[in-house]
Amino acid sequence: TTSVNDYLRQHIRTVSDWPAPGVQFRDITPLLQDPKVFRILIDAFVHRYMDPDMRPDVVAGLDARGFILGAVIAYELNVGFVPIRKKGKLPFTTVEETYELEYGSATVELHTDAVKPGDKVLLIDDLIATGGTMMAGKKLLEKLGATVMEGAAIVDLPELGGSKLLQDTGKLPLFTLVDFE
Ligand code: PRP
Ligand code: HPA
């Protein structure tokens, strides 16, 4: 539905030169702030994953904005939520995955009992840029024997190539609502 996508696009704020000069930061906080918009946003995901053929066993959310979306989507689907966190935040035993950023690297972690072998997982974040974060999340879930059925985000930045890489090389189906150049 084009109108929902356009409506959501109109509620994403672009901040120039943040966090660094030259970056056009797509800020999703206005989508969360207005209850009417927030509901339309969440319902767009819930509608897709309520379908019996698409319903996951677990929703995994990526630190930090993937927690906000993922937790609400999981609640509405009546399935559990698990957080994939930046290194050093999770208290129990974890699996970890390190990936490359534009400058340096990052490590994410997942509790070893977060998913069971064979679980069908929906992986959620707010935005796909280079795809590194979502790919690392997929690898963590697969280390525990789970299958990531789909990755979902509000925003895709297709020019950065992450969504193509995830789908072609990573074999991860994706669902996103708004593209920005
Ligand atoms: C942003 C965004 C995604 C990731 C996308 O998070 O929320 O998680 O980057 O980039 P990628 O596709 O190139 O991996 P950020 O690193 O800003 O962390 P934060 O959620 O803690 O702000
Ligand atoms: N918004 C949020 N997270 C991001 C962005 C952005 O524009 N670019 C890379 N990560």
Side-chain angles (χ1 to χ4, degrees):
T1 54
T2 300
S3 58
V4 168
N5 298 265
D6 288 345
Y7 182 75
L8 295 175
R9 174 191 299 275
Q10 285 159 14
H11 290 85
I12 295 167
R13 172 166 52 200
T14 299
V15 182
S16 294
D17 299 318
W18 197 92
V23 177
Q24 296 267 86
F25 190 85
R26 310 300 179 174
D27 172 21
I28 60 115
T29 62
L31 288 169
L32 311 173
Q33 199 168 350
D34 179 330
K36 195 162 101 259
V37 184
F38 189 29
R39 185 168 299 277
I40 287 167
L41 170 69
I42 296 302
D43 286 352
F45 292 107
V46 170
H47 177 257
R48 179 173 178 81
Y49 298 108
M50 270 297 201
D51 181 325
D53 292 337
M54 292 299 286
R55 198 163 172 277
D57 298 311
V58 180
V59 174
L62 288 157
D63 198 344
R65 290 172 288 270
F67 296 170
I68 302 165
L69 304 171
V72 179
I73 293 164
Y75 181 89
E76 284 293 320
L77 295 174
N78 200 29
V79 302
F81 173 82
V82 300
I84 295 173
R85 296 213 63 178
K86 301 208 165 141
K87 188 177 169 66
K89 300 290 187 178
L90 289 173
F92 184 59
T93 56
T94 64
V95 284
E96 63 176 62
E97 182 69 27
T98 297
Y99 61 103
E100 297 314 309
L101 300 173
E102 198 172 354
Y103 302 106
S105 65
T107 302
V108 286
E109 289 184 294
L110 176 65
H111 276 153
T112 50
D113 64 352
V115 292
K116 298 187 303 295
D119 276 350
K120 214 171 74 174
V121 182
L122 171 63
L123 181 55
I124 303 272
D125 205 348
D126 66 323
L127 176 142
I128 300 168
T130 68
T133 304
M134 198 163 270
M135 185 62 79
K138 179 179 190 275
K139 286 180 179 167
L140 284 180
L141 291 157
E142 288 175 349
K143 280 181 192 185
L144 300 179
T147 301
V148 183
M149 49 156 323
E150 194 154 270
I154 304 169
V155 177
D156 182 27
L157 306 180
E159 287 184 352
L160 296 187
S163 52
K164 183 170 164 44
L165 193 76
L166 286 164
Q167 290 174 282
D168 296 354
T169 310
K171 302 276 179 255
L172 179 65
L174 293 180
F175 177 69
T176 58
L177 297 171
V178 180
D179 282 358
F180 284 104
E181 290 189 356

